[in-house]
Amino acid sequence: MKHSTLLFVFAFFSLVSFGQSRSSGSVSGRLIDSVSNQELKDATISILDAADSALVVYGLSKADGSFAVENIPFGSYQLLISFQGYKEVRRPFVVTKEKTGFNAGVLHLAPLPIELQEVTVKTSPITIKGDTTEFNAGHFKTKPNATAEDLLKKLPGVEVEKDGTVKAQGENVRRVLVDGKRFFGDDPKTATRNLPTDMIDKIQVYDAQSDQSAFSGFDDGNREKTINIVTRKDRRKGMFGKATVGAGDNDRYAANLNFNKFNGSQQISFIGQGNNTNNQNFSIQDILGTMNSGGGGGGGNRGGGMQLGRSMANIGNFIGGTSPGIATTWAAGLNYNDAWSKKTSVSGSYFVNSMNTLNSQERFTENFTPNDSSIFRNNTSFSNNKNLNHRFNFEIDQKLDSMNSLLIRPSISLQESDNFRESRTFSTRGKTINQNEAQSLNNSQINGYNFNNSILYRRRFGKRGRSLSLNLTQAFNNSHTDRHTLNYTTTYFGAGARRDTIDQVSTIDRNGRALGANVSFTEPIGTKGHLEMSYNASFNNNNSQQETRRMNEGSGKYDRLDSILTNSFENSNNSHRIGINYRRQVSKEWNYTLGMAVQRATLESDNLTRGTTLSQTFNNFFPTVMLQYSKNRTKNLRINYRGSTRQPGINQLQEVIDNSNPLNITTGNAALEQEFQHSLSLFFTNIDIFTFKNFVASINGSFINNKIGNAYYINSTNAPVIISQDVVLAPLAQFTRPVNIDGAYNISGFINYGFPVKKPRSNINLTTNLAHSRDVNLINNVRSFTRNYVIGETVRYTLNLKERLDLNFASTSTFTMARYSQTAATERQQQTNGDFFTQIFSVEPTYTTKNGWVVTSDFDYTINRGQSEGFNQTIPLWTASIGRMFLKNKQGEIKLTVFDLLNQNKSITRNVNQNYIEDVRTQVLQRYFMLSFTYNLRAFKGQQQQTPFPMNMIPRGANRQIRIMQ
């Protein structure tokens, strides 16, 4: 299969390359100011198709005013020269096999009259402005009634996954803004899945600095990949939105409502949805960690793991969904942005969602032990999880005067959950010797909240570059859990058997408080240097109280207090840090930052039940090195190194037994120390503005000292083992306790190469992912290493035609190699391999006829190989629809959709963890039909038809507000 995939990719690109190279020409020339005779740098050179004025290729003029655009297919074209403040120039030309080059000669651009220079013609598809890459939305065609997500799929260097996750230039997009303002807080999906493309003028991609860095001008290296959606100016006064209702067989239903009212700087948006088709047009936030609770038969719940593989479900924004199980969702949100005055701007949002998820799973787990045989577990489970979330976000940016400003940003999240899970597990030694059987019922009700607030005061001084900022942060969280656990465990001893029962109720109360302050002062040093001095103080306090009562068979009540499972614990973590950083702009292209910080932290744990206290002090140095290179705004290199610490959480510190899963008993460790992580990253981009070719490469690595891992004790004997006076471990059960251990690291690499294809007009992106990680833990006091190697290749092809066909194609091949080694005192090493391969082919064509018929197909073909018996399956998932647009301006659409046309949808994933491999099959939606009606609302004040209008035809004295066609 791997060879056939490589052959397919090779053949595909051989055809593409052949098609590109056999028939193309070029155009060249030079641009001069007609008045001053100065060369014009960075003027926009656009090559338009003579037939329909569609953009073919684009570039910029060089420093000497010259330009050369190559790889132009043979044909008839129009050369368009545009530059802000100058009249545009147009020249028709032809490139043929006999005449492959067209020299436009010296072109003199005439300045516009002063009163018209505010009128700007923007026809370039891509513009580089410093660190910002700007895409002109009008040059990237999408299917009818598309959303911002559909537009992003067409942009070079931008990828959109099936679940709505957006990557730009190889990095995950953390924030999506609308006209520079937050849209429903920091949830990217609410913007990408709800804003229509006909509202969008530009897409801006950049690395957003922290608020303090953006103010002071001192880059602290804290960046977030951000997308800003710039709306069209003629759509900023009026109302727009979309309403959809649908009903199908198997009692399926769906309804979406999106309404927006824009009035200049004021934006009011409402979104709502209700469905039982696993669709969420928002990001799910889980502050209590209950959305994926329920676990399986494998490792400890206080540790971490890595999930590899593919969960097959949805395609599209309205039908289907990516969540496991069958989810019923009701959600609504309101967003508000406004400028109350020239000095005051505000934004805020409220969002509420209710989800009820029914899920059944099959898990097959292989646990590795120091002995020759592994432990195998077969687990089946059913769960019913109900969650209610509320999110509030607010921001006010107040300019006190020309030198002082105040930014206040509070947010609060509330969550309630009611979770039920029933499971049954069979454990064997090897694959044939039955050892135990466990049945469990767990029911929990959890509610809690998180509150965060930031107050940022900023002051500029008369001297350029001198600034002072003070950031005060506050955070509070609280959670309350009521849990009922009922377990029946049967252990087999030859011909005999032993049955144990756990019937108990527990209450867990946790709350935390955090206060922080950061003061930063910047001062220019000479003409090229910049100094930053900072002080940070942080105070955190957390406490946890757990009480467990067992069933009293005599009274029939839960009135027997279990002292082993009851504990009251308090933890505090305080730190003070002083730092200094020096930044120097060596030349126009190069700058560097060197810095050092020293921190003193104290970690105190107080076990109130046992009357024991432990205090630890840590002194750390935090070096920072950052090197940046930028050439002609198209080549960028960024190298960063920094050190950081991570403190253990209260659930890892509290030494209380958790026996809710009798085959995997866990506890905490009050003696845990903090981790220290060394992080190194390299990021390089090269964008060819003449050919649209883009190359992005990144390397990230981290090495962790004193990593918080796990110590596992696995009872591989045939008899119970006493771990302590509190814990007796049944055969094949394991006991997990967090510990500090050295030896963990991870390295990852990313390469993306994208380029356009001229005929048919389209984009191709080739993405390579490489990753290697080593985790370390203890198994029965033997150091155990988990080494993972991942090699992935993705090919994406997106058609970008002006005509009625829209096409997206992707092929993703992922090969994962897992290596487990356990080294005993005798230096004997046992190696276990867990290699597997996943191949996914995806194709999404949409065809629109002249009279409004729309045919859409969405097909995924997934191949799993190398997994456990019964999990190596091939999964074809096909969703198809046919619709008709009608009413005025095609504002209405009625559509029939069939989800999972072949009725083959499945979810298969592999979890690679510290001491086990686990294959999971999860319940998902299968075939259903749905008939839906959609109405698109567009009502704008003063909207006028945009038509081409040459700049030199506008008479002197004309209204400066005339809008010019792209």
Side-chain angles (χ1 to χ4, degrees):
M1 185 64 222
K2 290 182 285 185
H3 295 293
S4 63
T5 301
L6 294 175
L7 181 62
F8 171 83
V9 174
F10 177 80
F12 180 81
F13 287 107
S14 296
L15 290 173
V16 171
S17 300
F18 177 76
Q20 280 186 288
S21 61
R22 66 179 180 177
S23 56
S24 63
S26 62
V27 63
S28 59
R30 192 176 179 212
L31 306 180
I32 300 293
D33 185 305
S34 62
V35 176
S36 65
N37 288 324
Q38 295 293 317
E39 296 87 355
L40 297 178
K41 177 187 176 184
D42 290 344
T44 301
I45 317 298
S46 300
I47 310 300
L48 309 179
D49 193 299
D52 57 9
S53 297
L55 180 75
V56 177
V57 69
Y58 143 87
L60 299 178
S61 59
K62 299 179 181 179
D64 61 355
S66 65
F67 64 88
V69 181
E70 300 178 348
N71 297 320
I72 304 174
F74 294 161
S76 300
Y77 301 97
Q78 189 173 71
L79 171 66
L80 171 64
I81 310 293
S82 56
F83 196 59
Q84 184 171 350
Y86 290 81
K87 296 179 181 179
E88 66 180 29
V89 173
R90 294 176 181 261
R91 294 286 188 275
F93 71 96
V94 177
V95 288
T96 64
K97 186 176 182 180
E98 293 74 23
K99 187 179 180 181
T100 59
F102 171 70
N103 189 341
V106 178
L107 301 175
H108 294 83
L109 270 66
L112 285 170
I114 295 177
E115 64 268 24
L116 288 180
Q117 289 191 10
E118 292 184 13
V119 180
T120 303
V121 178
K122 295 281 189 179
T123 59
S124 304
I126 303 179
T127 305
I128 309 297
K129 298 180 177 180
D131 293 334
T132 301
T133 303
E134 184 176 272
F135 300 93
N136 192 324
H139 291 284
F140 299 91
K141 306 304 177 184
T142 57
K143 57 190 176 184
N145 299 325
T147 64
E149 184 176 89
D150 299 303
L151 174 61
L152 292 175
K153 293 178 181 179
K154 303 292 184 181
L155 305 183
V158 179
E159 300 177 60
V160 182
E161 302 296 337
K162 293 287 187 183
D163 63 356
T165 302
V166 180
K167 285 187 176 181
Q169 300 168 350
E171 297 181 85
N172 284 332
V173 173
R174 305 294 182 185
R175 184 180 300 167
V176 175
L177 308 176
V178 178
D179 290 330
K181 302 174 183 178
R182 297 191 175 208
F183 194 75
F184 286 94
D186 289 331
D187 184 356
K189 291 183 186 178
T190 54
T192 60
R193 289 190 163 179
N194 289 286
L195 285 178
T197 52
D198 59 8
M199 286 291 303
I200 302 174
D201 184 26
K202 298 178 182 65
I203 299 288
Q204 297 174 334
V205 181
Y206 59 97
D207 292 318
Q209 297 180 338
S210 64
D211 293 320
Q212 282 185 305
S213 295
F215 168 76
S216 66
F218 193 98
D219 189 353
D220 59 7
N222 294 318
R223 300 291 188 98
E224 280 189 335
K225 185 64 69 176
T226 301
I227 286 179
N228 181 37
I229 298 175
V230 181
T231 60
R232 290 169 49 175
K233 291 182 179 179
D234 65 333
R235 300 295 178 96
R236 295 180 183 173
K237 284 192 176 183
M239 297 178 292
F240 66 95
K242 180 170 69 174
T244 303
V245 292
D249 64 338
N250 300 324
D251 296 323
R252 298 292 165 208
Y253 62 86
N256 285 351
L257 175 62
N258 176 359
F259 176 78
N260 304 268
K261 183 180 179 181
F262 283 15
N263 185 16
S265 61
Q266 185 184 83
Q267 300 175 354
I268 300 175
S269 300
F270 172 83
I271 60 174
Q273 67 173 155
N275 65 78
N276 59 357
T277 59
N278 283 26
N279 172 245
Q280 294 89 37
N281 286 348
F282 54 90
S283 299
I284 299 174
Q285 296 186 8
D286 180 19
I287 65 174
L288 301 178
T290 64
M291 302 288 280
N292 296 310
S293 63
N301 61 7
R302 300 185 193 232
M306 179 171 67
Q307 185 182 69
L308 303 165
R310 168 77 173 187
S311 178
M312 294 303 305
N314 170 31
I315 320 169
N317 289 342
F318 178 65
I319 207 93
T322 57
S323 302
I326 309 296
T328 299
T329 302
W330 292 94
L334 185 67
N335 187 79
Y336 172 76
N337 288 311
D338 200 1
W340 288 349
S341 67
K342 292 183 179 180
K343 293 185 177 181
T344 307
S345 62
V346 297
S347 67
S349 67
Y350 165 69
F351 192 84
V352 57
N353 70 279
S354 173
M355 291 182 61
N356 185 9
T357 305
L358 301 176
N359 194 6
S360 60
Q361 290 184 330
E362 299 176 26
R363 297 172 179 262
F364 182 78
T365 307
E366 180 181 4
N367 285 76
F368 304 111
T369 70
N371 301 324
D372 293 333
S373 62
S374 296
I375 296 173
F376 293 90
R377 303 190 196 278
N378 281 284
N379 172 270
T380 59
S381 66
F382 169 79
S383 63
N384 183 1
N385 296 333
K386 300 177 182 179
N387 279 275
L388 177 65
N389 293 77
H390 300 266
R391 304 202 306 254
F392 302 87
N393 295 279
F394 187 74
E395 176 185 296
I396 180 167
D397 192 350
Q398 178 69 48
K399 293 179 175 58
L400 304 176
D401 53 40
S402 60
M403 295 293 186
N404 299 274
S405 65
L406 193 65
L407 177 65
I408 303 175
R409 188 177 289 153
S411 66
I412 185 170
S413 299
L414 300 95
Q415 182 178 345
E416 298 177 10
S417 68
D418 187 347
N419 304 315
F420 170 81
R421 184 173 186 271
E422 179 180 4
S423 70
R424 187 168 185 175
T425 304
F426 295 91
S427 301
T428 62
R429 189 187 311 279
K431 291 188 177 181
T432 59
I433 305 174
N434 292 332
Q435 195 69 64
N436 58 45
E437 175 185 346
Q439 293 177 274
S440 66
L441 294 171
N442 284 279
N443 191 17
S444 62
Q445 293 82 38
I446 309 175
N447 60 80
Y449 68 84
N450 276 354
F451 172 80
N452 293 276
N453 186 42
S454 171
I455 303 173
L456 177 61
Y457 168 74
R458 298 165 293 189
R459 175 176 174 80
R460 284 192 174 93
F461 296 89
K463 186 176 182 180
R464 182 179 179 85
R466 179 183 293 172
S467 70
L468 174 70
S469 60
L470 170 64
N471 191 20
L472 303 176
T473 59
Q474 311 88 43
F476 305 94
N477 63 79
N478 179 276
S479 69
H480 174 81
T481 302
D482 290 311
R483 183 172 64 194
H484 177 218
T485 301
L486 178 61
N487 283 304
Y488 302 102
T489 304
T490 303
T491 304
Y492 300 100
F493 303 96
R498 171 183 169 180
R499 184 180 176 90
D500 296 301
T501 301
I502 297 176
D503 188 0
Q504 63 190 32
V505 294
S506 302
T507 59
I508 304 172
D509 289 286
R510 288 177 178 160
N511 60 75
R513 302 181 301 277
L515 299 174
N518 188 83
V519 182
S520 175
F521 178 77
T522 62
E523 178 71 19
I525 306 295
T527 58
K528 296 183 176 182
H530 211 176
L531 190 69
E532 180 191 46
M533 293 169 286
S534 64
Y535 167 72
N536 179 276
S538 176
F539 307 94
N540 297 272
N541 182 267
N542 299 276
N543 65 72
S544 174
Q545 298 184 33
Q546 177 171 317
E547 180 180 279
T548 300
R549 296 182 178 271
R550 291 183 178 269
M551 167 64 74
N552 186 336
E553 295 181 358
S555 64
K557 297 180 180 179
Y558 295 95
D559 55 12
R560 292 175 51 196
L561 182 67
D562 192 325
S563 59
I564 296 175
L565 308 181
T566 299
N567 186 263
S568 180
F569 186 85
E570 186 171 336
N571 162 256
S572 64
N573 175 35
N574 304 319
S575 66
H576 299 268
R577 182 172 62 186
I578 299 175
I580 185 169
N581 295 293
Y582 175 72
R583 182 177 184 272
R584 183 173 180 81
Q585 189 73 40
V586 180
S587 64
K588 184 179 180 180
E589 292 85 12
W590 289 95
N591 71 79
Y592 67 84
T593 300
L594 299 175
M596 177 62 73
V598 59
Q599 176 178 285
R600 183 178 179 85
T602 59
L603 181 64
E604 294 186 357
S605 298
D606 188 0
N607 192 323
L608 302 176
T609 300
R610 299 183 182 179
T612 60
T613 302
L614 178 63
S615 179
Q616 303 178 82
T617 301
F618 307 98
N619 297 307
N620 297 111
F621 293 94
F622 297 91
T624 299
V625 179
M626 183 170 63
L627 179 66
Q628 285 187 298
Y629 169 80
S630 179
K631 179 70 173 178
N632 294 332
R633 300 179 298 176
T634 61
K635 293 182 180 180
N636 292 276
L637 173 67
R638 201 165 64 235
I639 302 175
N640 287 300
Y641 165 78
R642 61 177 54 215
S644 61
T645 59
R646 186 175 77 90
Q647 313 300 325
I650 193 168
N651 64 319
Q652 296 172 314
L653 292 166
Q654 186 176 16
E655 294 181 332
V656 61
I657 302 298
D658 183 351
N659 68 342
S660 57
N661 182 353
L663 298 181
N664 180 26
I665 300 175
T666 67
T667 189
N669 181 4
L672 284 177
E673 300 179 357
Q674 64 179 7
E675 293 181 350
F676 190 91
Q677 178 171 297
H678 305 267
S679 300
L680 178 66
S681 65
L682 181 150
F683 184 72
F684 174 75
T685 61
N686 184 12
I687 302 175
D688 191 326
I689 56 179
F690 289 93
T691 64
F692 294 163
K693 294 178 180 179
N694 63 89
F695 177 81
V696 179
S698 67
I699 299 175
N700 296 279
S702 64
F703 181 83
I704 304 175
N705 290 330
N706 231 23
K707 176 186 178 293
I708 301 175
N710 283 317
Y712 300 97
Y713 183 85
I714 301 175
N715 181 8
S716 56
T717 70
N718 293 321
V721 172
I722 299 176
I723 300 297
S724 66
Q725 63 178 0
D726 300 334
V727 178
V728 178
L729 206 59
L732 297 197
Q734 76 177 21
F735 177 71
T736 306
R737 183 172 183 262
V739 295
N740 291 106
I741 189 169
D742 289 328
Y745 63 83
N746 65 78
I747 303 171
S748 63
F750 170 90
I751 300 174
N752 183 86
Y753 176 61
F755 59 92
V757 178
K758 302 301 186 300
K759 289 188 177 181
R761 194 171 301 119
S762 51
N763 294 314
I764 291 178
N765 274 283
L766 307 176
T767 304
T768 302
N769 286 285
L770 303 171
H772 168 54
S773 64
R774 186 177 79 171
D775 205 355
V776 58
N777 295 279
L778 295 177
I779 300 180
N780 292 15
N781 295 319
V782 176
R783 185 183 292 259
S784 171
F785 294 99
T786 304
R787 296 178 176 87
N788 288 303
Y789 306 84
V790 179
I791 302 173
E793 181 67 30
T794 298
V795 179
R796 295 183 186 272
Y797 176 84
T798 58
L799 202 62
N800 190 27
L801 292 176
K802 186 178 181 181
E803 289 78 12
R804 291 178 290 274
L805 177 64
D806 183 274
L807 176 66
N808 297 317
F809 169 82
S811 170
T812 300
S813 306
T814 305
F815 182 56
T816 303
M817 295 167 284
R819 297 290 185 269
Y820 298 85
S821 65
Q822 296 161 340
T823 306
T826 60
E827 301 297 330
R828 177 179 62 86
Q829 189 176 56
Q830 174 192 352
Q831 289 282 355
T832 307
N833 301 334
D835 303 344
F836 65 98
F837 174 77
T838 302
Q839 172 67 48
I840 304 172
F841 294 104
S842 302
V843 59
E844 302 175 36
T846 299
Y847 184 76
T848 308
T849 66
K850 290 183 178 180
N851 55 358
W853 287 95
V854 181
V855 180
T856 301
S857 181
D858 204 326
F859 183 72
D860 280 4
Y861 190 76
T862 302
I863 302 167
N864 295 296
R865 295 294 181 266
Q867 298 187 356
S868 303
E869 184 178 351
F871 289 82
N872 290 311
Q873 299 189 12
T874 299
I875 307 171
L877 177 60
W878 186 11
T879 296
S881 68
I882 182 170
R884 174 70 187 274
M885 295 183 293
F886 60 103
L887 301 180
K888 184 180 179 180
N889 298 323
K890 298 181 179 180
Q891 290 178 288
E893 181 183 10
I894 189 167
K895 180 166 61 174
L896 176 65
T897 303
V898 185
F899 176 79
D900 188 18
L901 185 62
L902 304 178
N903 204 29
Q904 295 292 312
N905 192 20
K906 299 180 181 70
S907 170
I908 295 176
T909 56
R910 167 161 284 199
N911 300 318
V912 179
N913 214 299
Q914 293 96 335
N915 69 325
Y916 68 85
I917 295 178
E918 180 181 60
D919 291 316
V920 184
R921 181 184 290 109
T922 304
Q923 177 187 13
V924 291
L925 277 174
Q926 292 190 310
R927 184 170 57 200
Y928 65 88
F929 297 78
M930 181 165 288
L931 183 67
S932 62
F933 170 74
T934 300
Y935 179 78
N936 293 278
L937 170 67
R938 301 290 186 272
F940 299 99
K941 297 179 180 179
Q943 183 177 348
Q944 53 187 328
Q945 183 69 24
Q946 295 180 343
T947 56
F949 199 81
M951 293 292 296
N952 58 6
M953 298 297 294
I954 301 176
R956 296 178 67 88
N959 192 323
R960 298 183 185 181
Q961 300 301 317
I962 292 177
R963 180 161 175 88
I964 306 301
M965 174 65 176
Q966 294 179 357

